[in-house]
Amino acid sequence: MVPKKDIKSLYRDELAEHMAERGEPSYRTDQIMEWLYERLAESFDDMSNLPMILRQHLPKDFELNAVRALRTRRATDSTEKFLFELHDGSLVETVLIPATPGLTSRSDRVTLCISTQVGCAYRCAFCASGLDGVKRNLSAAEIVDQVVQVRRRSDERIDNIVVMGMGEPLANYDNLMRALRIINAPWGLGIGARKITVSTVGLVPRIKALAAEPMQIRLAVSLHGTTDDVRHKIMPVNKKHPLSELIEACRYYRTKSGRMMTFEYILIDGVNDGLDQAQRLGEIASDLRAKVNLIPYNEVAGLPLRRPDAGRCKAFQRMLKTHGVTATLRREKGDKIAAACGQLRLQHTADEEGAADVANGSR
Ligand code: SAH
């Protein structure tokens, strides 16, 4: 038996082809797309303007829901975290973040942070997502459906998408781009390309590929260190793509795409938060005319790394300003609900094993 396709992995013209093969009029495709991405149908049965015979046939060819909400958590600041289960029982996280100064250009907007892999292969020393390595890539439908399911469950309008959840998006390039085209399309979720940010650990060849994409999505690079010495210690990927190569790829991206980019920089106490690092970051960012998002480290249970005090964070930010670099210091909205990557999943697993509430008990 041919396995069923997830309908949310299809472009409009692919579904149109299927409809044509079935001898359906072309407006059926638009009706179905509207049910999927505007009316957020929970079953094919809900698609009440389709003929009964088609409604009965669609579930034989297609899966409708690619992810299933397992639980949500709401913090006092209204950040909301969703844990989703996939068909194979894997878990991924999605976080809804209202009004996040520093994450995007406008401060009054709702941002959704989505995942692209189960786990992560890159094993950054500070990150909870890579603790168990990577299990698999998400399909395009599993990426798209995170947005659909959150829309269905939330009163909030979603203005921005950041691909900063679990996984390395550029390691799952084809599924990522397919999903983003569906999220962006007028027949899909209709979210503007400039409101979509993809964050990478620094995969040089893929940054170059992204520069050639016609879709005007934004790029964020997780820098976290401005010398090979510091970056090696916390990001093993730096051995494969050292800083000089990464910065060269960023320059290529800027020139080729003409688009602005952002550096993310976590501040970790005594590791990468010295003023010498700030000085170099100022030089790199002003040279590339890049924005910087400073993120005080969100501590992870079981990892020895700490967040610097507020004074050190401010001093780092001031140094960047002397280079004329726009640097925001992100407030930790999701702190109370363990919003850093991989932390809710970690906690869920621990709960299942009867262990303590690790993600919240850590602070
Ligand atoms: N793999 C991609 C996207 C996922 S992580 C990347 O590396 O960019 C999104 C951002 O959260 C990255 O900048 C990552 O370094 C950061 N991050 C991971 N763990 C964190 C933690 N505990 N506290 C603060 N930021 C964290």
Side-chain angles (χ1 to χ4, degrees):
M1 208 182 86
V2 191
K4 282 198 255 180
K5 274 200 169 148
D6 283 300
I7 198 163
K8 286 173 197 144
S9 69
L10 296 187
Y11 296 138
R12 189 191 173 286
D13 53 358
E14 292 167 337
L15 185 64
E17 208 172 296
H18 181 90
M19 288 297 128
E21 276 165 21
R22 286 192 48 79
E24 293 288 345
S26 65
Y27 62 84
R28 293 281 179 240
T29 305
D30 297 315
Q31 287 176 318
I32 295 172
M33 286 298 175
E34 190 184 330
W35 278 111
L36 293 179
Y37 299 117
E38 268 172 57
R39 302 169 82 160
L40 311 173
E42 281 184 68
S43 75
F44 288 113
D45 234 18
D46 288 352
M47 304 184 177
S48 51
N49 57 359
L50 302 184
M52 182 62 87
I53 186 115
L54 181 59
R55 261 187 276 164
Q56 286 171 347
H57 179 82
L58 283 169
K60 295 189 182 129
D61 284 348
F62 298 113
E63 293 283 353
L64 180 66
N65 297 307
V67 305
R68 188 169 74 91
L70 221 52
R71 69 162 146 178
T72 65
R73 298 186 131 217
R74 192 178 272 278
T76 46
D77 63 8
S78 81
T79 305
E80 189 165 3
K81 186 142 182 164
F82 299 81
L83 189 67
F84 287 116
E85 187 179 37
L86 314 180
H87 295 314
D88 66 355
S90 296
L91 303 174
V92 294
E93 310 174 357
T94 307
V95 190
L96 189 65
I97 315 159
T100 312
L103 193 60
T104 50
S105 50
R106 300 277 292 272
S107 61
D108 56 343
R109 295 294 162 115
V110 176
T111 299
L112 185 69
C113 175
I114 58 175
S115 293
T116 52
Q117 296 184 309
V118 181
C120 184
Y122 289 89
R123 296 188 187 275
C124 297
F126 44 80
C127 181
S129 288
L131 289 174
D132 295 323
V134 68
K135 187 168 164 200
R136 67 169 172 89
N137 284 334
L138 297 199
S139 67
E142 287 166 339
I143 299 171
V144 171
D145 208 20
Q146 293 171 54
V147 187
V148 173
Q149 301 282 348
V150 171
R151 262 204 184 160
R152 201 183 274 159
R153 280 171 181 74
S154 171
D155 305 330
E156 309 267 16
R157 203 186 52 223
I158 298 169
D159 303 292
N160 303 292
I161 300 279
V162 294
V163 190
M164 296 188 184
M166 203 184 279
E168 168 50 40
L170 298 189
N172 184 12
Y173 194 87
D174 293 345
N175 293 346
L176 170 77
M177 292 312 297
R178 173 174 278 268
L180 294 184
R181 286 182 204 111
I182 294 168
I183 288 170
N184 174 238
W187 48 257
L189 285 161
I191 295 175
R194 287 186 183 79
K195 306 199 164 226
I196 301 173
T197 302
V198 172
S199 176
T200 178
V201 75
L203 301 189
V204 165
R206 297 283 164 76
I207 291 174
K208 292 184 176 164
L210 206 59
E213 293 283 349
M215 206 181 357
Q216 300 273 311
I217 51 175
R218 293 176 187 270
L219 173 68
V221 171
S222 295
L223 202 63
H224 309 334
T226 61
T227 50
D228 280 326
D229 184 39
V230 167
R231 206 163 182 269
H232 267 342
K233 269 190 220 147
I234 49 178
M235 302 181 77
V237 69
N238 197 65
K239 304 208 164 91
K240 185 153 187 212
H241 303 297
L243 261 174
S244 54
E245 249 185 63
L246 176 57
I247 288 163
E248 201 37 56
C250 293
R251 196 184 312 282
Y252 175 87
Y253 178 88
R254 278 288 287 126
T255 318
K256 170 109 183 160
S257 74
R259 302 194 281 268
M260 300 286 281
M261 55 160 302
T262 302
F263 286 119
E264 289 160 273
Y265 198 98
I266 310 179
L267 292 164
I268 307 174
D269 194 36
V271 175
N272 66 355
D273 61 342
L275 290 181
D276 54 327
Q277 292 288 317
Q279 166 95 31
R280 289 180 56 89
L281 182 55
E283 286 164 16
I284 295 167
S286 73
D287 184 38
L288 292 168
R289 282 182 290 137
K291 252 183 52 182
V292 174
N293 283 338
L294 296 174
I295 312 153
Y297 181 57
N298 205 345
E299 293 176 16
V300 175
L303 298 182
L305 305 172
R306 297 290 163 256
R307 172 188 300 197
D309 64 42
R312 267 180 92 83
C313 297
K314 283 261 175 238
F316 199 98
Q317 183 185 29
R318 270 198 305 275
M319 175 64 91
L320 294 176
K321 292 220 161 118
T322 65
H323 286 81
V325 172
T326 311
T328 51
L329 189 55
R330 197 194 290 179
R331 272 197 309 156
E332 285 311 283
K333 283 227 145 239
D335 202 21
K336 293 191 190 66
I337 55 159
C341 325
Q343 292 188 24
L344 186 68
R345 185 181 71 142
L346 201 66
Q347 180 185 334
H348 180 82
T349 314
D351 288 354
E352 301 244 296
E353 287 164 4
D357 190 343
V358 285
N360 273 356
S362 65
R363 295 183 57 83

